[in-house]
Amino acid sequence: MKKSLLSALMVCSLTLTAVAGPGLVSADSIDDQIEQQNQKIDSLKGQQADAQSQIDSLEAEIDSVSAKVSDLEAKQVALGKEAEKLQDKIATLKLRIAKREEAIKKQARDVQVNGQSTNFIDAVLEADSLTDVIGRVQAMTTIVNANNDLVEQQKRDKEDVEQKVKDNESKIQEVAATQAELQNQKDALATKQADLNVLKANLAAEQATAEKDKDALNKKKQEAEAEKARVLKAQQEAAAAKKAEEEKQAAALKKAQEQEAVQEDVQSTNQTESSSDNSVVETATAGSSSSSNSSNTSSSNNSSNSSNNTASDTNNSNNSTVNTGGSGKDHSASGNMYAVGQCTWYVKNRAPWVGTYWGNGAQWGASAAADGYTVNGTPAAGAVVVFAAGQSVGGVWTADSTYGHVAYVESYDAASNTIKISQGGMGFPSPTGPNYATLNASGYTYIHR
């Protein structure tokens, strides 16, 4: 347009110079050029109005997408809270199952140590009269029924755990689907915003051309196009990273499935042994009851043995070591089911061998012991350190009064008795970690692989 305007001016100048007098033709020619320029300006204004209409429509669409994004984020937060509640319920049920199995095993040990009668025939043969026989049989039947009820409750609780695990995994999958939808919405929003910037830049560039300020506004157009290119590049990099992460997760899932298959074989063997132990508990406990009715001396011995067992348990407590052989399935191969940004999620991500359904940080020690892990007060590199609810963390801050806290032990210095930990959580600069700290190693609970 600059060239056209300069050409028109040069023609007008040459005409005015060459023609003497008023020159009506020359005046008409200038008017024609002005009219043409006015028509171009009017056309440009019409294009600007059309472009502004498109911008208004696009901004309305962006507002709609933003509202959808807000709804998805709210839904994601709600699903995360539901998943945390299920975590707590699963952890509580697993502890209940472990304690009940320990009680059944203890009954079996007591009967075996005392050497009492273990079947109905012995109880009948040792009876003094028919009345005594009936009493003994009724007592043994009551005990057997009680043990059967205990086993049935144990079975129901285990089924309840499995159902809650499935429910929790379903919630996690729903959260993942929501996150994917949210990311798609955000990508679409970013693209539309970039397109809007380019559209505005084009409009400004055209207006600048008409008003001879093209250079400055062309720079803005270039910046908008560069921003669009940056957004597209970021999306491509994100897509590549996502693909790499999916391949990594697929490999990890395959490995986890192989490990779970091995664990299921071990569990099947343990269940067979457990069934045998339950049979011993039923008959042995019944025999213990009948012998107790016929011998005060035997009851005294039982009390003595119970005291000895209590003393042994006390000694174990003083050594700060808990290593129960809990038979609960810990589902550690199910992946990281803890809420992203929590301390439990970071530790599971850093140490995949920990259990998947151990509850909040303060519950991890008991949950790990119930699943058969070694839990004590001995620090070591590669262990998980547990902070009780409200416990001071290195004298710098205090763990949550309800949920406690967990972290991963990166290293242990025996000379100074200090540990270096890495951790995550909402209160740190990086919720997904790692956040490092060094503190005195005494006074905490440690879970060992």
Side-chain angles (χ1 to χ4, degrees):
M1 187 172 289
K2 279 184 177 181
K3 291 182 178 179
S4 298
L5 185 56
L6 289 173
S7 299
L9 290 174
M10 289 176 67
V11 169
C12 292
S13 299
L14 291 171
T15 303
L16 289 173
T17 303
V19 179
L24 295 178
V25 176
S26 298
D28 290 341
S29 177
I30 294 173
D31 290 339
D32 290 341
Q33 296 294 329
I34 293 173
E35 181 62 26
Q36 290 177 6
Q37 199 67 18
N38 287 335
Q39 290 177 1
K40 290 181 180 179
I41 292 174
D42 291 339
S43 175
L44 182 57
K45 288 181 178 179
Q47 293 177 20
Q48 289 175 347
D50 181 65
Q52 185 60 49
S53 176
Q54 293 182 39
I55 290 172
D56 294 340
S57 176
L58 187 56
E59 287 179 341
E61 188 176 356
I62 289 174
D63 290 339
S64 176
V65 172
S66 297
K68 291 180 181 179
V69 169
S70 297
D71 292 341
L72 287 173
E73 289 176 343
K75 183 178 180 181
Q76 184 180 6
V77 171
L79 288 175
K81 290 181 179 179
E82 290 180 12
E84 290 178 0
K85 291 180 181 178
L86 274 177
Q87 286 277 356
D88 291 342
K89 291 180 181 179
I90 291 172
T92 301
L93 279 175
K94 290 184 71 177
L95 287 176
R96 185 189 303 169
I97 290 171
K99 289 180 180 179
R100 190 181 292 120
E101 288 187 353
E102 183 62 26
I104 292 173
K105 291 179 181 179
K106 184 177 180 181
Q107 289 180 359
R109 288 196 299 268
D110 288 342
V111 172
Q112 291 173 353
V113 171
N114 295 333
Q116 298 164 343
S117 300
T118 59
N119 55 54
F120 281 92
I121 296 176
D122 290 343
V124 171
L125 294 177
E126 292 175 3
D128 297 329
S129 63
L130 180 59
T131 301
D132 190 17
V133 169
I134 295 173
R136 287 169 179 258
V137 171
Q138 289 178 342
M140 293 173 66
T141 300
T142 300
I143 293 173
V144 169
N145 288 338
N147 281 336
N148 287 337
D149 291 340
L150 189 63
V151 171
E152 278 300 316
Q153 183 62 44
Q154 187 80 330
K155 180 180 178 181
R156 287 194 296 271
D157 281 350
K158 288 182 177 180
E159 292 175 348
D160 195 14
V161 166
E162 294 298 326
Q163 184 59 44
K164 281 183 168 54
V165 167
K166 292 179 181 179
D167 292 342
N168 189 63
E169 292 175 349
S170 176
K171 292 292 183 184
I172 294 299
Q173 292 173 358
E174 187 175 352
V175 169
T178 301
Q179 288 175 331
E181 184 179 355
L182 176 61
Q183 188 59 48
N184 290 336
Q185 293 283 355
K186 287 184 175 180
D187 288 344
L189 178 60
T191 301
K192 289 178 180 180
Q193 286 176 331
D195 289 339
L196 176 59
N197 290 334
V198 172
L199 183 59
K200 286 182 177 179
N202 285 333
L203 178 60
E206 290 177 6
Q207 184 179 359
T209 301
E211 297 177 356
K212 300 180 182 180
D213 196 16
K214 182 177 179 179
D215 292 341
L217 290 173
N218 270 340
K219 182 179 180 181
K220 290 184 179 180
K221 178 182 176 180
Q222 292 171 359
E223 291 174 352
E225 289 177 341
E227 175 62 15
K228 181 179 180 180
R230 186 193 67 78
V231 171
L232 292 176
K233 182 179 179 181
Q235 291 176 355
Q236 292 172 352
E237 291 176 349
K242 181 179 179 182
K243 181 178 180 181
E245 181 63 21
E246 287 174 349
E247 292 175 351
K248 180 180 178 181
Q249 290 179 356
L253 178 61
K254 181 179 179 182
K255 182 178 180 181
Q257 289 174 343
E258 294 173 352
Q259 293 177 347
E260 186 173 12
V262 175
Q263 291 177 353
E264 287 177 353
D265 291 340
V266 174
Q267 183 184 9
S268 177
T269 303
N270 290 339
Q271 287 177 347
T272 302
E273 295 176 355
S274 177
S275 298
S276 176
D277 290 341
N278 288 340
S279 298
V280 174
V281 170
E282 292 175 1
T283 57
T285 305
S288 174
S289 174
S290 61
S291 296
S292 175
N293 291 333
S294 63
S295 177
N296 291 333
T297 303
S298 177
S299 297
S300 176
N301 290 335
N302 288 341
S303 176
S304 175
N305 289 332
S306 177
S307 298
N308 291 335
N309 290 336
T310 302
S312 176
D313 291 341
T314 302
N315 290 333
N316 289 336
S317 176
N318 291 336
N319 290 332
S320 300
T321 301
V322 179
N323 189 1
T324 63
S327 62
K329 187 177 180 181
D330 71 356
H331 302 274
S332 60
S334 298
N336 195 340
M337 297 298 174
Y338 298 99
V340 177
Q342 301 295 331
C343 61
T344 49
W345 180 90
Y346 171 79
V347 174
K348 174 64 176 176
N349 198 49
R350 178 70 177 82
W353 54 267
V354 305
T356 305
Y357 299 99
W358 282 0
N360 295 311
Q363 296 175 297
W364 273 35
S367 296
D371 281 339
Y373 289 78
T374 298
V375 181
N376 56 32
T378 304
V384 174
V385 56
V386 180
F387 302 94
Q391 185 176 14
S392 175
V393 182
V396 178
W397 60 283
T398 303
D400 187 272
S401 59
T402 301
Y403 303 111
H405 182 60
V406 289
Y408 181 80
V409 180
E410 299 287 346
S411 61
Y412 169 60
D413 186 353
S416 61
N417 191 34
T418 57
I419 55 175
K420 180 180 180 181
I421 63 173
S422 63
Q423 54 199 332
M426 291 301 181
F428 294 100
S430 175
T432 56
N435 302 277
Y436 296 98
T438 301
L439 55 150
N440 187 280
S442 300
Y444 305 117
T445 300
Y446 296 88
I447 302 172
H448 302 271
R449 184 173 186 178

